[in-house]
Amino acid sequence: NQIGYNNLIWQENGLVEILQVIFLLISIIFIISYLKKIFYGSTIIFKILIFLYLFGILYYFFEEISWGQHIFGWETPEFFLKINKQGETNIHNAYSVFNELPRNLLLFWCSLSFIIIKIKIFKNIHLNNFIFPSYKLKFISFLIIFFFISDFVVDKLDLGPSEPHASKKELMIYIFFEIISFNFIRLSELQEFLFNTYIMCHAYFLLKANYINKLSMLDDRFKTD
């Protein structure tokens, strides 16, 4: 009777969701600052790539706050009441494809970027620096992979009983697999929190790398002069 997550932390509009929104907002500020710094010194294709990245983060941010509903508290329009299972003004809770597809793309981006760089799929140095601007990102990737695999193995192999039963042994088995798969909390929210942490750190390292490169160029010019 004591299993379950703390509502103040994991529930809708709880601490974790508030932090996610803050992280995304910080990411947007970082990316806009980065765009300003590279705007006159990069190719059109690279600028389009960064604009698309910014657009994706903006979409994610506005979906998280239900396009302002969580802040301003308006009543959900009738159209969304019919299609949205949570009765909110957003798309990702209306159609599974708008939830699962972005989620899987984020899982791929946030967990495997360091591998893409390692196997040298792309030859363009600017593209590689965008994909993986700092090796420190891989530590967040390791966490994402760890929590994903823990849940994936238990779920796909159908380990343990689906719910606790009367016997003490089955109850202990159930609790054991709930713990090792991290389903005693809202695992989906934890994964999203890690995604947003990765995005914020990625945006920060992009901006920082650009600043360091400019200092290096100024230093080289000073030495040449």
Side-chain angles (χ1 to χ4, degrees):
N1 291 331
Q2 299 302 312
I3 64 172
Y5 54 80
N6 187 315
N7 288 335
L8 293 176
I9 298 174
W10 300 102
Q11 189 58 278
E12 292 290 327
N13 300 319
L15 177 62
V16 171
E17 282 207 349
I18 292 171
L19 286 175
Q20 289 180 47
V21 171
I22 292 172
F23 287 2
L24 288 175
L25 184 58
I26 294 172
S27 303
I28 290 166
I29 295 171
F30 284 155
I31 294 298
I32 291 174
S33 299
Y34 179 69
L35 264 172
K36 289 180 179 179
K37 291 182 181 298
I38 67 157
F39 195 79
Y40 295 106
S42 60
T43 64
I44 294 176
I45 294 177
F46 190 71
K47 281 185 279 194
I48 291 173
L49 176 64
I50 304 301
F51 270 112
L52 289 173
Y53 187 47
L54 176 61
F55 175 80
I57 298 173
L58 282 169
Y59 169 77
Y60 187 11
F61 171 76
F62 284 114
E63 278 287 297
E64 281 295 303
I65 63 172
S66 291
W67 298 88
Q69 185 179 27
H70 290 175
I71 298 172
F72 301 106
W74 67 65
E75 291 187 8
T76 305
E78 186 176 348
F79 171 77
F80 283 100
L81 284 175
K82 291 179 179 179
I83 65 171
N84 192 302
K85 61 184 179 181
Q86 292 188 1
E88 296 178 328
T89 312
N90 59 53
I91 302 172
H92 72 277
N93 286 326
Y95 304 102
S96 61
V97 66
F98 289 108
N99 182 49
E100 296 304 321
L101 179 59
R103 189 180 189 86
N104 288 330
L105 288 174
L106 277 173
L107 176 63
F108 179 83
W109 168 258
C110 298
S111 62
L112 300 180
S113 291
F114 73 97
I115 297 177
I116 293 173
I117 295 302
K118 192 75 173 177
I119 60 181
K120 299 179 180 180
I121 293 178
F122 303 108
K123 304 300 181 182
N124 187 290
I125 187 171
H126 297 294
L127 181 58
N128 286 331
N129 288 338
F130 166 71
I131 293 173
F132 200 64
S134 172
Y135 76 93
K136 294 177 182 178
L137 286 169
K138 69 180 181 181
F139 297 112
I140 306 174
S141 297
F142 291 157
L143 281 174
I144 294 171
I145 293 170
F146 171 74
F147 286 113
F148 171 77
I149 290 177
S150 301
D151 177 61
F152 183 81
V153 170
V154 172
D155 180 51
K156 294 303 178 184
L157 296 182
D158 197 23
L159 300 175
S162 58
E163 57 184 50
H165 296 279
S167 72
K168 185 176 180 180
K169 180 180 178 181
E170 288 185 341
L171 177 61
M172 295 304 295
I173 292 173
Y174 173 80
I175 292 174
F176 171 75
F177 284 111
E178 284 287 286
I179 291 173
I180 67 171
S181 65
F182 296 92
N183 278 302
F184 61 93
I185 58 174
R186 289 187 70 191
L187 183 59
S188 61
E189 289 299 325
L190 175 60
Q191 290 173 334
E192 287 182 19
F193 177 79
L194 290 173
F195 292 159
N196 295 355
T197 303
Y198 185 97
I199 291 170
M200 181 179 66
C201 292
H202 178 269
Y204 167 75
F205 287 129
L206 268 182
L207 187 59
K208 182 180 178 181
N210 182 74
Y211 178 71
I212 292 174
N213 289 340
K214 282 196 171 185
L215 286 180
S216 178
M217 289 172 64
L218 287 173
D219 186 53
D220 290 342
R221 187 180 302 174
F222 177 77
K223 289 178 181 178
T224 303
D225 294 339

